[in-house]
Amino acid sequence: MSLELTPDLAIFARWIVPVVPSGVVLENHAILVSNGKISHLLPAEQARRELSPEALASAIELEHHALIPGLVNAHGHAAMSLLRGVGDDMPLKSWLEERIWPLEGQLVDDDFVECGTRLAAAEMIRSGTTCFADNYFFPEASARVIKQSGLRGQLACPVIDFPTAWAQNPDEYIEKTIALADLYKHDERVHIAFGPHSPYSVSDAPLSKIATLAEELDIPIHMHVHETQTEVDAALAQDGMRPLARLANLGLLSPRLFCTHMTALTPQEIEDVAGSGTQVAHCPESNLKLASGFCPVETLRQAGVNVALGTDSCASNNDLDMFSEMRTAAQLAKAVAQEATALPAAAALQMATLNGARAMGLEPLLGSLEIGKFADMTAVDMRALNAIPLYDVISQLVYSTQASQVSDVWSGGEALLRSGELQTIDMQKLRQETRRWQSRVQAIAHSE
């Protein structure tokens, strides 16, 4: 007897990869969505029996697709998409001090951030990402883009010792972060975190204050830590201790702390990170491009550390393609561990989905296709030449899938991408505003 289920959205897919349980692939299943959340995950035949005629008539059929959770980009600086390619083939210190920071000093304002974040949002949607963690100035502008585009994001508001166009001192950075956290505390799409830039750019007093406030206000902390061996050596020379030890002394190591990069770690530091519940964001392609070092991903995983995956910014990557990032992460982990079994495909996919949600404190809401979670989903067309023959769906997703195979993306059941076409961002306007900023960047670069 038909129950005549009437969801807001019904999707039938050839394969569904829920991520939880790990490694599972459901063949010929359907996902039903009501009020923006997954209400049912059923075998296709059962769903066809139980759906109402109206729901069945409007159901989406993905006969050749794998349906996966929307990808979660666990670290980036979205607005820096407008600086894509302006500082290539430079080491990190020179890249920052001679190229990026001078350009930012002349360019960054609310408009720059809004336009750059919109460009990043379009690229992320078209490559299957539905949620991202960001660390950049004028997060108010990024929040507007999140709301307009239908994405979700955790905005780590910057805290740094020196003045910028957004704030003049650490106290002002912190005050603005608290105000934004209060503004968006009940928002389903915009989430706020403290974003102290790095141990070398934030002094003890503000870091101690952030540790206290994060605990009181239940706000995460997202920070670049141990990005290079040079950073660690400089800290030893200046402070007499490694950055992670300093952060531990200041009370920052905890499940609230989300450390990005982590390329220079001792066995004891890995043990300390694991014991404290501190989380890690791995950005393999950015680290490779800037020759920053190698994050010991498999060692961290085996120690019980939650390791998520991020792209970093387009100024150092130079794209926001999480499929490419998964492939690089899986291959690099094997080389670093000198073990072919390190970071298998299912674990890499989990890094790009559930682990990112967990690191951002959003695991109850997203990162896997489970009943009760937001219907944030990405459909991947598996008919591409690079996807056939197909023997193992998860392996194919990690090792051979290209972003161009993403056909559809939903956030809370709302279509952000339909048959390859953006639904919430005007591409013509985006191209126009990007050209405008390109002219400004080129004018400044040529005047130097």
Side-chain angles (χ1 to χ4, degrees):
M1 178 178 178
S2 174
L3 298 178
E4 296 206 344
L5 296 173
T6 56
D8 300 324
L9 174 67
I11 301 175
F12 290 84
R14 177 66 177 82
W15 301 277
I16 292 179
V17 184
V19 172
V20 174
S22 178
V24 167
V25 177
L26 303 174
E27 293 194 49
N28 297 313
H29 272 60
I31 276 187
L32 311 186
V33 179
S34 295
N35 298 317
K37 295 184 177 180
I38 298 170
S39 61
H40 296 77
L41 181 53
L42 304 169
E45 288 186 5
Q46 181 182 350
R48 293 188 194 281
R49 289 195 307 268
E50 298 186 0
L51 280 170
S52 68
E54 295 79 12
L56 197 54
S58 62
I60 295 172
E61 302 282 350
L62 299 174
E63 297 178 6
H64 308 285
H65 295 67
L67 189 66
I68 65 174
L71 300 175
V72 179
N73 188 339
H75 178 74
H77 312 278
M80 293 179 75
S81 293
L82 291 176
L83 301 179
R84 191 194 318 260
V86 300
D88 287 345
D89 305 320
M90 299 176 70
L92 176 62
K93 191 171 187 297
S94 300
W95 176 77
L96 277 174
E97 296 178 0
E98 299 171 18
R99 200 65 173 163
I100 299 302
W101 285 347
L103 281 169
E104 288 180 324
Q106 298 185 64
L107 291 168
V108 175
D109 58 14
D110 186 272
D111 185 37
F112 176 92
V113 174
E114 180 171 345
C115 295
T117 304
R118 186 156 38 246
L119 175 60
E123 182 178 355
M124 285 190 281
I125 292 169
R126 293 190 69 170
S127 54
T129 293
T130 57
C131 181
F132 67 104
D134 203 54
N135 187 320
Y136 209 63
F137 307 104
F138 296 95
E140 307 94 327
S142 300
R144 290 197 300 272
V145 174
I146 288 171
K147 301 290 282 185
Q148 293 162 3
S149 67
L151 287 170
R152 302 185 201 279
Q154 182 188 81
L155 304 178
C157 305
V159 179
I160 200 163
D161 278 349
F162 51 80
T164 65
W166 192 57
Q168 293 302 299
N169 55 62
D171 284 340
E172 187 180 357
Y173 289 111
I174 291 171
E175 289 167 4
K176 286 190 168 188
T177 302
I178 294 171
L180 282 171
D182 186 61
L183 179 63
Y184 289 106
K185 63 183 176 182
H186 299 303
D187 199 284
E188 292 184 339
R189 297 198 175 276
V190 178
H191 305 271
I192 302 298
F194 285 110
H197 176 265
S198 59
Y200 61 81
S201 61
V202 187
S203 50
D204 285 1
L207 286 176
S208 294
K209 187 174 183 178
I210 287 169
T212 300
L213 289 170
E215 180 69 25
E216 290 177 356
L217 302 173
D218 192 22
I219 299 176
I221 305 167
H222 190 149
M223 188 179 194
H224 304 83
V225 181
H226 283 225
E227 187 166 0
T228 65
Q229 185 63 50
T230 300
E231 171 197 335
V232 176
D233 293 342
L236 277 168
Q238 178 176 315
D239 305 320
M241 68 177 72
R242 293 165 68 89
L244 269 171
R246 177 170 160 244
L247 295 181
N249 289 343
L250 294 171
L252 270 81
L253 294 195
S254 79
R256 297 182 189 283
L257 181 62
F258 189 15
C259 296
T260 300
H261 298 303
M262 299 285 268
T263 66
L265 297 173
T266 66
Q268 183 59 53
E269 285 169 339
I270 292 173
E271 186 176 324
D272 292 342
V273 167
S276 66
T278 298
Q279 327 245 6
V280 171
H282 178 39
C283 301
E285 293 187 357
S286 176
N287 291 343
L288 286 168
K289 185 164 180 282
L290 291 170
S292 296
F294 305 105
C295 177
V297 170
E298 188 63 12
T299 305
L300 287 165
R301 288 182 64 244
Q302 294 301 324
V305 177
N306 179 49
V307 183
L309 190 65
T311 59
D312 213 341
S313 79
C314 282
S316 66
N317 185 307
N318 295 29
D319 60 48
L320 304 177
D321 180 353
M322 286 287 287
F323 282 102
S324 173
E325 209 73 38
M326 268 194 285
R327 181 164 55 252
T328 301
Q331 293 173 341
L332 183 61
K334 299 175 194 309
V336 171
Q338 298 186 42
E339 177 55 66
T341 60
L343 194 61
L349 180 61
Q350 183 173 314
M351 281 179 64
T353 52
L354 186 66
N355 290 10
R358 181 178 299 150
M360 295 158 65
L362 302 176
E363 183 179 3
L365 305 175
L366 51 95
S368 57
L369 300 181
E370 297 182 79
I371 293 172
K373 288 194 174 186
F374 285 120
D376 296 359
M377 306 173 288
T378 291
V380 182
D381 191 334
M382 305 305 281
R383 290 175 293 182
L385 290 177
N386 54 283
I388 57 172
L390 194 157
Y391 305 112
D392 184 322
V393 173
I394 295 177
S395 178
Q396 211 83 325
L397 286 167
V398 172
Y399 291 118
S400 67
T401 293
Q402 299 174 1
S404 58
Q405 291 170 244
V406 173
S407 63
D408 299 82
V409 173
W410 297 266
S411 178
E414 174 191 357
L416 308 187
L417 186 75
R418 183 177 291 132
S419 299
E421 297 295 325
L422 290 167
Q423 301 298 298
T424 59
I425 296 176
D426 184 330
M427 280 296 294
Q428 183 176 357
K429 178 182 177 183
L430 177 62
R431 292 182 188 280
Q432 290 173 346
E433 64 187 13
T434 301
R435 284 195 293 268
R436 171 169 60 87
W437 278 105
Q438 179 179 338
S439 297
R440 288 191 59 183
V441 173
Q442 286 177 320
I444 293 171
H446 291 158
S447 67
E448 294 177 350

